[in-house]
Amino acid sequence: MKVLLCHENDIQEDDSRGFELDEGNFFAVKKDGIIYVYNNRCPHLGVPLEWQEHQFLDSDKALIQCSTHGALFKIENGECIAGPCLKQYLNKINFTIEDGQIFIQLAPSN
Ligand code: FES
């Protein structure tokens, strides 16, 4: 299933953005011009990651940070490198960009 997320220009460099869709909650990060999309779900307790709307990064904007217990994740692959879910991964979402629009690719729910 292909779902429209946003336009690629809606995500600024070194910034993140959250999305609440009928299909679930997601967030996107842009780093070095590359966009990454994940489920907004911490592998520790399964809760949303952000502490404020659209705020998914640590203060250095170098890592994704869970607001609940501070777990840190690599932007590039979602691997937890510090915190209670060490070595677990955020769920990375595949997507395509067509005419600048980001379409996430989701498995059918049943
Ligand atoms: S819920 Fe994210 S680190 Fe505990």
Side-chain angles (χ1 to χ4, degrees):
M1 182 174 46
K2 196 167 109 176
V3 178
L4 176 63
L5 193 67
C6 66
H7 193 279
E8 58 180 338
N9 293 341
D10 293 339
I11 308 161
Q12 305 303 313
E13 178 68 24
D14 288 330
D15 210 352
S16 56
R17 194 175 163 127
F19 303 90
E20 293 184 9
L21 307 181
D22 290 345
E23 292 79 7
N25 294 341
F26 306 93
F27 69 97
V29 180
K30 191 185 277 183
K31 185 181 179 190
D32 297 330
I34 300 173
I35 292 170
Y36 304 88
V37 182
Y38 293 98
N39 266 126
N40 184 6
R41 184 178 188 282
C42 181
H44 180 213
L45 293 183
V47 298
L49 294 148
E50 77 273 38
W51 60 280
Q52 262 183 16
E53 194 178 14
H54 304 307
Q55 303 295 312
F56 291 85
L57 300 180
D58 67 349
S59 54
D60 294 338
K61 305 212 177 271
L63 295 163
I64 296 163
Q65 184 166 35
C66 177
S67 61
T68 303
H69 305 111
L72 294 166
F73 304 86
K74 288 187 189 172
I75 291 174
E76 294 80 0
N77 64 3
E79 180 188 4
C80 180
I81 56 165
C85 42
L86 191 65
K87 294 192 167 38
Q88 294 184 58
Y89 285 79
L90 297 170
N91 185 29
K92 197 168 186 182
I93 304 293
N94 291 326
F95 62 89
T96 55
I97 299 179
E98 298 169 27
D99 293 331
Q101 305 280 3
I102 301 172
F103 291 90
I104 55 174
Q105 207 67 47
L106 302 174
S109 52
N110 49 30

